[in-house]
Amino acid sequence: MRATEVRPTGVERTFGEDELIVTKTDPRGVITYTNDVFLRVSALTEEQAVGRPHSLIRHPDMPRAVFQLLWDTLGRRQEIFAYVLNLAVDGAHYWVFAHITPSFDRTGRLLGYHSNRRRPAAAAVQTVGSVYARMLDEERRRSRTPDAVAAGTAVLEQILGEHGRTYDELVWDITDGSAR
């Protein structure tokens, strides 16, 4: 089963405010660990998830430029916080507020990535959803993936410029409600 085979149903799934979705991946983004909340919300079994790329749950309405930013940030050995729209294998979708960190051994060698996700506030989803819609609109006007990513990135940079914020500052403004 691949993410491209799953069609969104429009059904939204949530999880408890006190629950965390946890996954770990290797340096290439292949899942090495999941918790029970991830399995329940994504509608996957452990056997279906472990050993598969994390992009397995990628929603087609999630801007590619956000993932490029995510991988670029992790490539600099930095953590990132991001709002992400995911697609469960049964077609339901779910929003998360993700905190992704690189994991290193004692010598500084990259072992992989650890991601904790919380359920975001509805107002934050509405705000970030409008940002992502603008990005996605531009991305979908391009037929080549690199051009789509560049177009989405340009829109994000324009939005950041309009707000006079960095990406991290915008995320925290959305999280605390000051960007609405």
Side-chain angles (χ1 to χ4, degrees):
M1 150 188 12
R2 295 182 356 210
T4 56
E5 296 171 357
V6 178
R7 296 204 184 276
T9 62
V11 173
E12 183 170 11
R13 180 168 295 140
T14 62
F15 53 102
E17 287 184 19
D18 61 336
E19 292 184 300
L20 281 178
I21 292 176
V22 179
T23 55
K24 294 180 183 181
T25 70
D26 70 11
R28 296 172 299 127
V30 174
I31 298 170
T32 59
Y33 168 82
T34 69
N35 73 345
D36 62 332
V37 181
F38 173 83
L39 296 174
R40 184 181 79 241
V41 175
S42 67
L44 288 162
T45 65
E46 187 173 15
E47 294 74 27
Q48 291 171 314
V50 173
R52 303 289 306 277
H54 210 287
S55 59
L56 173 69
I57 58 169
R58 186 178 203 165
H59 196 289
D61 291 339
M62 186 66 199
R64 293 173 185 233
V66 174
F67 290 110
Q68 184 69 54
L69 174 65
L70 183 148
W71 281 109
D72 288 350
T73 302
L74 293 172
R76 292 190 303 273
R77 303 169 71 93
Q78 298 172 341
E79 68 182 349
I80 188 167
F81 290 86
Y83 289 93
V84 179
L85 174 62
N86 288 316
L87 182 63
V89 296
D90 62 2
H93 66 273
Y94 59 100
W95 281 94
V96 297
F97 181 55
H99 177 216
I100 307 160
T101 58
S103 300
F104 305 99
D105 69 12
R106 286 186 283 158
T107 67
R109 184 177 62 92
L110 178 67
L111 297 173
Y113 304 99
H114 182 127
S115 180
N116 291 323
R117 276 95 78 204
R118 294 191 175 280
R119 187 175 92 192
V125 168
Q126 184 176 5
T127 301
V128 80
S130 66
V131 171
Y132 287 0
R134 285 176 61 186
M135 294 172 69
L136 200 56
D137 184 53
E138 285 302 313
E139 287 186 7
R140 287 185 172 154
R141 295 174 195 257
R142 311 304 191 278
S143 58
R144 292 178 0 103
T145 298
D147 297 337
V149 171
T153 300
V155 170
L156 180 58
E157 289 171 354
Q158 177 187 358
I159 292 168
L160 294 174
E162 290 168 3
H163 290 275
R165 309 304 272 166
T166 66
Y167 172 79
D168 289 334
E169 290 169 336
L170 183 65
V171 166
W172 289 112
D173 288 350
I174 291 169
T175 302
D176 72 19
S178 61
R180 291 182 191 95

